[in-house]
Amino acid sequence: MSSQPEGKGGFVRAIGLFPATALNMSQMVGIGPFITIPLILAVLTGPLAIVGWVVGALIAICDGLVWAELGAAMPTAGGSYVYLREGFQYYAGRFMPFMFIWSTLLVTPLIMSTGMIGMTDYLGYFWQMSPWVTHAVAVGFTVLTVAVLWRRIESITAITKVLWATMIVTVLLVIVGTYSHFNAHQAFHLSPGALSLGSFAVGLGAGLVIAIYDFLGYFTVAYMGDEIKQPGRVMPKAIVLSVLGVMCIYLAMNIGILGVMPVKAIMNSKFIGSDVMTAAWGRPAAVAVTILILITAFASVYTGLLGASRLPFNAARDGMFFRPFGKLHQTLRFPHISLLVMGAVTAIATFFTLTTIISALIALTIWVQFIGQIAALTILRKKQPGLKRPYKQWLYPVPSVIALVGWIYIFQGAGWSAIRIMLAWTGLGVVAFLIWARIEHTWPFGPKVIREQFLGEQQAEPVHAEQRNAA
């Protein structure tokens, strides 16, 4: 039996600061930079791509401070679902948490599928595969990830440390390799007309879509609040440290690659990590790094699916999703049904193209989750001033405002194709919510219920909004 106290729902609080930071960083530095560097250079020429990474990191840090305050105050499984539920219950009942779950049913598998696709693409460095074999391999990676996650959280923390160490070794090898053959003039050379204000503004918007995709994951531990030791201390530190650490890794890696390979060669590369190591140290080194990149990519999808599987579980426990998702494995104590379903949807999503997936998932995520959470933080500061906040956002509300402006700018950079997908999925979600609300007799077809779960003076029974206002 574990000596650690249990969190809500029977979870074991076994994840400390190091494994929590490792979980975040492993999710962030997966296959992303090894498949997206050519994509960002297509919209931000040469060293201007560095601006995209820096601005993306700034937005991630500011948004990470939103997650840090909310996660420290409400350390439970579910992350955004819980924050949106607590914040918007005063004005729109269960609408916002419902819409978040609805968007997550598509967004999370899309994110995980990019890792599966990336791993499969890098296998192409060793041998060519037909399209159907490629899809089969991507599905096989998904099955393998679910199988490795089929265990208790205590053993998962040990596996996470190994995967994190592999990720660090991989990026360090790439960085050291590039700087051993670094050409500063080539890295920082700007082509004529590159600083044209109009083209740069358009390119920055599109580039930030890619950059933010590569930073996604700094909030992974927020979905596992019931499994974090001392969440008020560990969660904020893990979020901030992971963003800062990954920012340094991305800057060093991207500047180094620009200093080894010409921009056009990078843009045309299908295996940029392998190609840059070939240019720096030769093919044997490239083969070794390609294998490490595959392991690093697996670490990303592993930690991502680990965190995502907790969301439907928490929603089901809250009466907001199908009841079977709220069950824990009888002996291993993890949400097994949720893990299986999320894995299945991820496998299906691997049949889409990479560029379509990235743009669509960013557009879907921004409006309800990121912008919604900024609003939720502001609402909760007003409505629940007595909520215990072990961490408060530094320089509030400046980080929230910076993050909000950044998300709006990135949203328009996703392109109309992605925005149309977002609007269509959102429209279906609104219809689904109205049907669900009618069946459950909740707002707008019934009273709003105010629970204020995390306040110390929480009442034993739910209080209707009308009763609370009258009081």
Side-chain angles (χ1 to χ4, degrees):
M1 296 292 293
S2 172
S3 60
Q4 295 297 330
E6 288 191 352
K8 295 178 182 178
F11 285 124
V12 178
R13 293 196 180 278
I15 302 176
L17 179 59
F18 178 72
T21 305
L23 277 169
N24 278 356
M25 292 183 68
S26 298
Q27 167 65 4
M28 296 166 74
V29 187
I31 197 68
F34 296 107
I35 60 176
T36 58
I37 291 175
L39 299 179
I40 197 169
L41 285 175
V43 292
L44 287 172
T45 305
L48 290 182
I50 298 171
V51 179
W53 299 110
V54 172
V55 176
L58 174 62
I59 295 171
I61 289 174
C62 291
D63 189 64
L65 297 182
V66 175
W67 284 86
E69 176 170 328
L70 293 171
M74 295 172 280
T76 188
S80 296
Y81 166 76
V82 176
Y83 314 149
L84 295 173
R85 182 195 68 197
E86 293 296 301
F88 284 91
Q89 62 182 328
Y90 303 99
Y91 304 108
R94 295 295 184 92
F95 176 71
M96 285 299 287
F98 183 95
M99 291 305 299
F100 169 67
I101 297 169
W102 180 262
S103 67
T104 301
L105 291 177
L106 185 58
V107 168
T108 297
L110 289 180
I111 295 174
M112 296 302 100
S113 68
T114 61
M116 308 302 178
I117 292 171
M119 285 190 288
T120 305
D121 287 345
Y122 260 80
L123 282 180
Y125 179 74
F126 298 108
W127 67 84
Q128 292 185 344
M129 295 177 283
S130 67
W132 281 108
V133 172
T134 298
H135 291 310
V137 171
V139 172
F141 276 129
T142 306
V143 174
L144 175 63
T145 304
V146 172
V148 177
L149 283 170
W150 200 268
R151 62 192 69 248
R152 290 184 66 91
I153 189 66
E154 294 93 328
S155 59
I156 283 177
T157 59
I159 295 173
T160 297
K161 292 177 182 178
V162 174
L163 293 176
W164 177 85
T166 304
M167 178 270 292
I168 292 296
V169 170
T170 304
V171 297
L172 283 179
L173 281 174
V174 174
I175 291 171
V176 172
T178 57
Y179 283 94
S180 68
H181 293 71
F182 185 72
N183 184 325
H185 175 75
Q186 176 178 290
F188 298 104
H189 175 71
L190 275 175
S191 59
L195 291 176
S196 171
L197 184 60
S199 61
F200 174 72
V202 173
L204 181 61
L208 284 175
V209 172
I210 299 169
I212 286 298
Y213 160 76
D214 283 330
F215 279 107
L216 290 180
Y218 54 87
F219 42 76
T220 298
V221 293
Y223 287 104
M224 305 172 65
D226 282 338
E227 298 162 274
I228 304 295
K229 296 178 183 177
Q230 299 179 326
R233 181 184 67 87
V234 170
M235 196 175 298
K237 288 184 178 181
I239 291 173
V240 174
L241 288 174
S242 62
V243 172
L244 292 175
V246 170
M247 176 184 66
C248 293
I249 289 172
Y250 283 173
L251 286 175
M253 184 185 301
N254 285 273
I255 294 172
I257 290 174
L258 284 170
V260 173
M261 293 178 61
V263 171
K264 289 185 178 179
I266 298 173
M267 291 172 60
N268 294 325
S269 174
K270 295 182 178 180
F271 326 102
I272 186 60
S274 307
D275 288 342
V276 76
M277 291 306 294
T278 301
W281 288 347
R283 182 171 173 80
V287 170
V289 167
T290 301
I291 295 172
L292 289 174
I293 288 173
L294 290 170
I295 298 173
T296 300
F298 177 75
S300 176
V301 297
Y302 171 87
T303 54
L305 197 56
L306 170 66
S309 65
R310 270 60 179 171
L311 177 61
F313 167 84
N314 192 70
R317 285 288 181 97
D318 199 39
M320 196 67 168
F321 206 56
F322 300 106
R323 292 183 183 274
F325 285 82
K327 296 181 179 179
L328 287 175
H329 192 280
Q330 188 173 2
T331 57
L332 300 179
R333 308 302 294 170
F334 73 94
H336 58 297
I337 295 177
S338 178
L339 177 62
L340 286 173
V341 173
M342 296 298 284
V345 179
T346 298
I348 295 172
T350 60
F351 288 84
F352 294 91
T353 63
L354 187 62
T355 53
T356 299
I357 290 171
I358 292 176
S359 295
L361 72 88
I362 292 297
L364 281 163
T365 301
I366 284 176
W367 87 266
V368 63
Q369 184 177 19
F370 293 151
I371 293 180
Q373 282 186 177
I374 294 171
L377 185 149
T378 304
I379 293 170
L380 287 170
R381 283 208 173 195
K382 177 182 178 181
K383 292 290 188 179
Q384 297 187 20
L387 178 65
K388 183 179 179 181
R389 294 175 172 85
Y391 165 80
K392 287 189 175 182
Q393 185 186 97
W394 301 326
L395 302 177
Y396 174 84
V398 175
S400 292
V401 173
I402 294 174
L404 177 61
V405 173
W407 291 135
I408 294 173
Y409 183 63
I410 294 171
F411 180 79
Q412 61 83 31
W416 277 109
S417 296
I419 292 174
R420 281 194 291 268
I421 293 174
M422 183 278 294
L423 292 174
W425 189 253
T426 300
L428 291 173
V430 171
V431 173
F433 170 76
L434 292 175
I435 295 172
W436 177 84
R438 183 67 176 178
I439 295 173
E440 298 293 330
H441 304 290
T442 188
W443 185 90
F445 302 105
K448 294 193 290 288
V449 177
I450 308 301
R451 295 185 183 274
E452 297 181 337
Q453 175 184 346
F454 297 91
L455 281 176
E457 65 272 23
Q458 178 185 358
Q459 299 183 25
E461 297 295 332
V463 180
H464 292 307
E466 290 80 356
Q467 295 172 332
R468 186 177 186 275
N469 293 335

